[in-house]
């Protein structure tokens, strides 16, 4: 993919990353990984039938790799801490 096409998708990719991570720093890291993956592939957009679906597939693949790599650092809070009562 060329730089102009990547720039057109950058905001959508960040939105995807933020919707998955709910964290600005993680979303920036994930979106950077996605953009690097798309840049490394360097496929001609004319060869791709549905560019939106292609970018989304790369996003999902990068998200699964990111999650697998980072999930050991994420901790869930216990259910007791979610209630409003002390």
């Amino acid at each position: 993919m060329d730089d102009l096409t990547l720039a057109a998708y950058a905001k959508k990719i960040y939105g995807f990353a933020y919707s998955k991570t709910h964290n600005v720093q993680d979303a920036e890291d994930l979106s950077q990984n996605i953009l690097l993956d798309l840049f490394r592939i360097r496929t001609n957009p004319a060869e791709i039938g549905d560019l939106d679906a292609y970018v989304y597939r790369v996003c999902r693949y990068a998200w699964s790799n990111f999650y697998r790599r980072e999930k050991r650092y994420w901790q869930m809070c216990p259910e007791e801490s979610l209630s409003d009562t002390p």
Side-chain angles (χ1 to χ4, degrees), residues 5-54:
T5 306
L6 289 178
Y9 278 96
K11 192 171 185 176
K12 289 181 182 180
I13 290 170
Y14 179 78
F16 171 86
Y18 189 79
S19 73
K20 294 296 184 183
T21 61
H22 302 289
N23 181 302
V24 173
Q25 289 83 14
D26 289 336
E28 288 173 353
D29 290 343
L30 176 57
S31 60
Q32 183 178 18
N33 290 345
I34 293 168
L35 288 168
L36 282 173
D37 287 346
L38 287 168
F39 183 76
R40 285 184 194 130
I41 294 170
R42 297 298 255 183
T43 304
N44 185 358
E47 297 173 1
I48 301 169
D50 186 0
L51 192 57
D52 290 337
Y54 177 77

Side-chain angles (χ1 to χ4, degrees), residues 30 60-74:
L30 176 57
R60 288 187 324 187
Y61 180 75
W63 162 243
S64 67
N65 287 338
F66 182 82
Y67 179 75
R68 192 176 321 122
R69 194 173 48 249
E70 299 293 327
K71 74 177 182 179
R72 64 181 158 206
Y73 301 114
W74 297 342

Side-chain angles (χ1 to χ4, degrees), residues 77-86:
C77 56
E79 290 181 30
E80 297 83 32
S81 66
L82 296 176
S83 65
D84 291 335
T85 57

